[in-house]
Amino acid sequence: MSMAHGRDRILVTGWFSLLHGEATAGDVLALARVEEVLRGAGLAYDVVWSPGFRADGTHFADVDPAAYSRLLFVCGPVHGPQVEELHRRFAHCVRIAVGVSVVDPASPAVTGFDRVLARDGAGAGPGLDLAARAPRLPGVPVVGVVLTHGQHEYGGRRRHAEVAAGLTRWLAGKDCARLELETRLDARDWRLCGTPAQLESVLARLDLVVTDRLHGLVLALRAGTPALVVDPVTGGAKVTAQARACGWPALVAAEAVARDPGPAGGEPGGRESGGRESGGRESGGGESGGWEPGGRELERWWRWCLGEGRDAAARIGAGFRAADAVADAADGLVAALGAVRGAG
C-alpha cells in the first residue's frame, strides 16, 4: 500500500455515503460512535453523505481526494464495486474499514484496505457493533398517523386527498417518530391489528395521534393519548361533531390545511414547512414556518397536545369509563327496543 500524503485530514465514508447505498439507523449510529472517537482524539474529519439521503450534505462529487490523507469506511458489509471504487479514487490515502462485516476476505473490496477492524467474519471472534456504544440520543415524540382516503358519501365536500397530502408534508418536517396506523382490522394481515385490544395497546404507548378519522380521535382518547385532529370535510362533519361530543379542542378545519391550488397551479396544502425542529418529547418543538394559517394551527395544537393535552386526554379517557360517563346512543337502546315492540 502507498504511504499517506496530502493534508492531514480524514474522510469518513460508509454505505450512507454511496449513491447506490442506503443509510440505516444502525449505520448512522455507528458513524456517530466513530465521530465521537475522532473528536475525542482531536482529529479533523469530513463525512460524505449520499445525495439521496442528505441533499444538503457533502457528497463525493464535492470531494477533492487530494485534500485527505486517510479514509475510513464505517459499518456494513465490505463488498462490491462501489467499495472497490473507493480504493481506486483514494489510492493515495491510508484506508481503514471499521465495524464492518467481512463476507469474502479475498475480495478486492476487503484487500484494498490497509487495515480492517471487523465486527465479524475476519477470522476472529465477533465484536460489538459500533451502534451499541454510540452517544445517547434525545427522545422525540412517538406519533401515530391515522388517515382515511375514503368517505365518498360527502361528495363535493370531501377534502381527504388534500388534507392527507398537507398533513404528511407537514409531518415530514417534524422531529418525531411516525407510525402509520389503520383502524381497519384484519387477522390475516400481519401488518394490521386483528382485534381492537391490539390497536388500543399501540395507541396507549404513543405520545400523540395525528388523524382525520372519527375513530382515530375516539380510540386515541380511550387510550388516554392526545389527538391532533383535522376534519377532512369542508364545513365540518362527523369528526368535528365527535370532537365536540368528547369535549376535545385540538381540532383543525379542512379549509385551514387543504388550500385550493392558486392560479398558477400550485400544490394543495401550501408550502412545505421548512427545516426540522430541535427538542424532544417534553417541549414538542417550535413552529416550523409552515403554511398560513393551517401551519400555525397545526403547530399550536401540536405543542398543546404534547404539553397540557396529555392530562386532558387522560381525563377524557378516564371519563369514558367512569360510572357517571356522558350518555351515548346505546343508553337509550333498551327503551327504544321496548317502544318498537309495544308499537308492534
Side-chain angles (χ1 to χ4, degrees), residues 64-76:
D64 175 12
Y68 301 93
S69 63
R70 289 162 288 181
L71 178 142
L72 301 182
F73 188 88
V74 179
C75 197

Side-chain angles (χ1 to χ4, degrees), residues 14-156:
W15 285 100
F16 49 80
S17 312
L18 303 179
L19 181 61
H20 302 294
E22 64 179 8
T24 70
D27 291 340
V28 176
L29 281 172
L31 167 64
R33 169 64 178 145
V34 168
E35 289 187 280
E36 179 183 51
V37 170
L38 295 178
R39 285 194 300 268
L43 297 172
Y45 68 92
D46 295 315
V47 178
V48 181
W49 294 100
S50 168
F53 179 62
R54 290 195 179 170
D56 58 346
T58 298
H59 310 140
F60 275 122
D62 308 318
V63 170
D64 175 12
Y68 301 93
S69 63
R70 289 162 288 181
L71 178 142
L72 301 182
F73 188 88
V74 179
C75 197
V78 182
H79 79 100
Q82 292 189 96
V83 179
E84 294 172 20
E85 176 59 27
L86 291 179
H87 298 313
R88 287 188 287 270
R89 186 175 178 193
F90 297 90
H92 66 281
C93 289
V94 170
R95 299 178 300 283
I96 299 173
V98 55
V100 297
S101 294
V102 177
V103 180
D104 178 5
S107 164
V110 177
T111 60
F113 286 104
D114 294 273
R115 188 159 183 196
V116 177
L117 304 175
R119 66 184 174 191
D120 57 75
L128 191 66
D129 183 75
L130 296 176
R133 290 182 55 196
R136 186 177 180 85
L137 300 175
V140 299
V142 181
V143 179
V145 183
V146 185
L147 302 178
T148 176
H149 300 278
Q151 300 179 342
H152 295 278
E153 62 269 24
Y154 290 105

Side-chain angles (χ1 to χ4, degrees), residues 12 40 51 66 72 82 108 121 189 229 241 247 260 311 335:
V12 183
L72 301 182
Q82 292 189 96
D189 188 339
V229 187
D260 286 323
D311 290 337

Side-chain angles (χ1 to χ4, degrees), residues 277-344:
E277 62 176 348
S278 61
R281 69 172 63 219
E282 293 304 322
S283 68
E287 291 200 16
S288 60
W291 343 290
E292 305 295 339
R296 280 204 305 258
E297 283 197 68
L298 291 171
E299 293 288 345
R300 177 168 66 92
W301 286 121
W302 173 277
R303 291 192 298 271
W304 183 83
C305 285
L306 292 175
E308 60 187 288
R310 299 181 189 203
D311 290 337
R315 286 195 302 270
I316 291 173
F320 289 165
R321 297 180 293 275
D324 58 348
V326 174
D328 63 13
D331 288 320
L333 179 58
V334 173
L337 288 170
V340 171
R341 185 177 181 182

Side-chain angles (χ1 to χ4, degrees), residues 141-149 163-172 174 176-184 191-192 199 202-203 206-213 215-217 220 225-230 302:
V142 181
V143 179
V145 183
V146 185
L147 302 178
T148 176
H149 300 278
V163 164
L167 273 176
T168 51
R169 277 196 297 270
W170 174 72
L171 280 169
K174 303 299 292 180
C176 64
R178 295 167 289 274
L179 298 177
E180 185 177 15
L181 299 174
E182 281 263 15
T183 57
R184 180 171 63 89
R191 292 165 294 190
L192 299 176
L199 179 59
V202 175
L203 296 173
L206 301 176
D207 293 303
L208 171 64
V209 170
V210 174
T211 186
D212 64 358
R213 302 197 69 139
H215 281 134
L217 163 64
T225 299
L228 198 171
V229 187
V230 178
W302 173 277

